[in-house]
Amino acid sequence: MNTVSQQYKMKGMLITNHELKVPLDWRSFNKSFNKSLNKNPDNNSTITLFAREVVDVNRADDELPLLLFLQGGPGGKSPRPMPGSPSWMVEALKTHRVILIDQRGTGRSSRIDTNLISKLSAEEGRDYLLKFRADSIVADCEHLRKTIYGGRLFETLGQSYGGFITLAYLSQAPEGLAACYITGGLAGLEESAQEVYQLTYQRVIEKNQDYYARYPEDAKVMAKIAQCLTNEKVLLPDGDQLTLERFQSIGILLGMGPGIDQVHWLVDEAFAGSDKTRLSDVFLEQVMNITSYHEGPLFAAIHESIYGRPNESTSWAAQQLRDQFSEFDVSHSPLILTGEMIYPWMFEQITSLRPFADAANSLADYQDYKPLYDLAKLAENKVPVVAAVYHNDMYVPRELSLKTAKQVANTQVWLTNSYEHDGVRQSTEVFCKLRELLLDQGGPLKSSK
């Protein structure tokens, strides 16, 4: 086994970093894998998987259950532990060892960036990106569980896209799981990308209505910003032009707990100068940071593919559905912001995404998807699952979540309108509530070993 580990302390936490080699393509994995790793650990058939274990320093020698955190995204690296943050981890460390895995292609797990993807043709780039779907992430987690943790069962906490991965885990390797917590991530099991966006666009419109109801005067500022971007060529600090459609994409913030207020404070400082006619530097920098994808281009590159179904292309579903909602027309008053949808024009306008354009377009046409979810196996699921479903979730529609909860046996749902999509990051109540639900079900499964 080819692994590297490092250990250190951080204000009450003992942190252990693990790096190990995994196959780039688990489907072509064979028994010579470990042998080939030791012989040639840097060959192109392998990538690095990074995971960080965190435990209360006072409980470092205790036999604690393992809680694997599955980050949202797709293409999101794990949270970096800080004293008191994230809030759910503070609570989890009282009872668990927490494992923070950088999903393949993110953070320290062979991060996919523009330098790598620009060397590949459209088809090569597409095929490379297809190896970073949920099924491969599950295989990585199982390899980590078996090699680093001796086959001990994982409990998982899946936030947003981490819930999608959880459903794939329950389909692919339920024998590795003791229990699953899901927050804002009970994905539809059968719905196409078009069906998902049909629901999420409606929810985005509702969030815009909530925003303007709270800050009605912002409608005038938004109109002024729109006029400015229509009449002038405005450049962001990285040199990209800020188009009106790109500005609309700041609406990705609206579905998070503080999102409506964040948008308000952003446009509050939109204009500079005594005559308030020039877009301010601080405004442009903040818009760039929200819309650039410099930190994680993988999110945009594979976003629609997470809904990919056999014998069906996603075909830039978000763009197709957007054209059916007149509210998102740039001439609409008040200006309506979009959500986390990814559009083909982004790969033309945004510096960090341009190298992904050919691969992303090829991926949009791809049809040979392998199923991520095993409906028959999920219907007979024995692993206890507890899920927080947010009534007003802008990213994962509650309608699909509640349907999925009925399709996955042994699942208990807490439906709440007290939080937005990121509720588990905003309050310890979400994790604590789910833990209570789990204990009411009899608690995690016990290892058969």
Side-chain angles (χ1 to χ4, degrees):
M1 180 176 62
N2 194 298
T3 63
V4 177
S5 298
Q6 176 191 25
Q7 195 170 76
Y8 57 95
K9 294 180 181 178
M10 177 190 287
K11 293 189 176 180
M13 297 178 287
L14 180 66
I15 297 175
T16 305
N17 293 342
H18 298 292
E19 286 188 356
L20 57 159
K21 294 294 182 179
V22 295
L24 171 61
D25 184 2
W26 277 105
R27 292 185 179 274
S28 63
F29 170 77
N30 57 55
K31 293 182 179 179
S32 65
F33 171 57
N34 285 332
K35 183 178 179 180
S36 69
L37 287 183
N38 292 327
K39 183 178 179 181
N40 186 14
D42 296 319
N43 69 71
N44 292 331
S45 65
T46 67
I47 59 174
T48 297
L49 180 68
F50 176 83
R52 178 178 285 113
E53 178 191 302
V54 187
V55 65
D56 186 316
V57 72
N58 296 314
R59 305 203 64 186
D61 296 326
D62 295 353
E63 188 78 5
L64 300 173
L66 306 173
L67 181 65
L68 175 71
F69 181 71
L70 298 172
Q71 171 68 14
K77 66 184 181 182
S78 70
R80 273 37 185 168
M82 298 287 286
S85 176
S87 61
W88 64 263
M89 194 174 74
V90 175
E91 191 64 32
L93 286 176
K94 296 176 182 178
T95 52
H96 291 74
R97 292 180 186 273
V98 174
I99 303 163
L100 304 171
I101 187 172
D102 280 351
Q103 295 165 24
R104 54 171 48 205
T106 75
R108 292 177 59 178
S109 290
S110 295
R111 182 183 187 274
I112 293 180
D113 57 18
T114 56
N115 181 62
L116 185 152
I117 208 72
S118 62
K119 299 175 182 178
L120 304 176
S121 68
E123 291 74 20
E124 289 171 338
R126 175 202 67 197
D127 292 344
Y128 193 81
L129 294 174
L130 285 167
K131 295 176 176 64
F132 292 78
R133 300 182 81 219
D135 52 353
S136 296
I137 296 171
V138 170
D140 290 342
C141 293
E142 277 294 276
H143 185 65
L144 175 72
R145 185 181 69 84
K146 293 172 182 177
T147 56
I148 300 297
Y149 294 101
R152 293 179 59 199
L153 299 184
F154 280 154
E155 296 176 36
T156 61
L157 172 57
Q159 159 63 13
S160 189
Y161 179 64
F164 293 47
I165 299 170
T166 303
L167 294 169
Y169 213 143
L170 290 167
S171 299
Q172 187 173 325
E175 67 277 5
L177 301 174
C180 298
Y181 304 85
I182 297 177
T183 57
L186 269 182
L189 299 176
E190 303 171 276
E191 285 72 21
S192 66
Q194 287 82 357
E195 290 170 310
V196 171
Y197 289 126
Q198 187 71 45
L199 291 169
T200 53
Y201 269 123
Q202 295 171 11
R203 203 59 40 81
V204 171
I205 292 171
E206 293 170 6
K207 294 296 183 185
N208 274 270
Q209 292 169 343
D210 292 343
Y211 164 56
Y212 286 119
R214 187 180 304 179
Y215 298 109
E217 292 301 311
D218 282 8
K220 297 177 182 177
V221 184
M222 285 291 192
K224 188 176 178 182
I225 293 171
Q227 183 179 30
C228 183
L229 296 179
T230 300
N231 296 337
E232 303 173 27
K233 183 177 181 179
V234 177
L235 298 182
L236 295 167
D238 63 0
D240 283 352
Q241 181 178 355
L242 178 57
T243 62
L244 183 49
E245 59 191 356
R246 179 167 174 177
F247 174 66
Q248 284 178 286
S249 71
I250 68 167
I252 193 172
L253 297 174
L254 291 176
M256 301 299 183
I260 286 178
D261 299 316
Q262 287 176 325
V263 172
H264 167 68
W265 293 122
L266 172 66
V267 304
D268 183 65
E269 294 184 275
F271 291 95
S274 57
D275 55 357
K276 300 292 184 181
T277 58
R278 176 178 58 83
L279 291 172
S280 71
D281 292 343
V282 65
F283 170 79
L284 294 175
E285 181 177 6
Q286 290 174 352
V287 171
M288 179 192 71
N289 291 336
I290 295 166
T291 64
S292 69
Y293 298 98
H294 286 311
E295 185 174 350
L298 186 60
F299 174 89
I302 67 171
H303 197 274
E304 283 199 358
S305 71
I306 67 176
Y307 304 115
R309 304 191 304 180
N311 305 313
E312 183 178 283
S313 64
T314 56
S315 302
W316 294 118
Q319 184 67 58
Q320 291 183 38
L321 267 293
R322 173 177 174 154
D323 294 341
Q324 296 179 21
F325 289 88
S326 61
E327 292 90 342
F328 295 101
D329 190 278
V330 295
S331 64
H332 188 276
S333 182
L335 183 69
I336 300 298
L337 306 176
T338 54
E340 69 168 353
M341 296 78 177
I342 300 299
Y343 304 107
W345 56 259
M346 291 179 167
F347 295 86
E348 301 171 3
Q349 295 186 15
I350 300 175
T351 295
S352 65
L353 298 185
R354 287 185 195 120
F356 289 85
D358 290 342
N361 282 312
S362 183
L363 192 58
D365 293 333
Y366 185 76
Q367 295 187 1
D368 194 23
Y369 286 105
K370 302 299 186 290
L372 292 174
Y373 310 127
D374 186 327
L375 272 64
K377 188 176 288 187
L378 292 173
E380 298 177 354
N381 172 56
K382 300 296 191 294
V383 180
V385 178
V386 288
V389 174
Y390 305 117
H391 188 271
N392 300 313
D393 200 317
M394 192 177 88
Y395 312 104
V396 181
R398 67 174 181 275
E399 296 91 338
L400 302 187
S401 296
L402 295 177
K403 177 184 175 183
T404 296
K406 294 178 180 179
Q407 294 174 283
V408 181
N410 215 16
T411 297
Q412 295 292 319
V413 165
W414 175 45
L415 178 63
T416 177
N417 62 0
S418 298
Y419 299 98
E420 297 291 343
H421 182 73
D422 57 344
V424 74
R425 292 197 290 264
Q426 300 298 320
S427 171
T428 59
E429 181 191 10
V430 175
F431 179 73
C432 291
K433 179 68 176 180
L434 293 184
R435 187 166 55 187
E436 290 174 10
L437 279 180
L438 179 65
L439 294 176
D440 289 345
Q441 281 188 261
L445 298 179
K446 305 298 181 184
S447 175
S448 58
K449 291 187 176 182

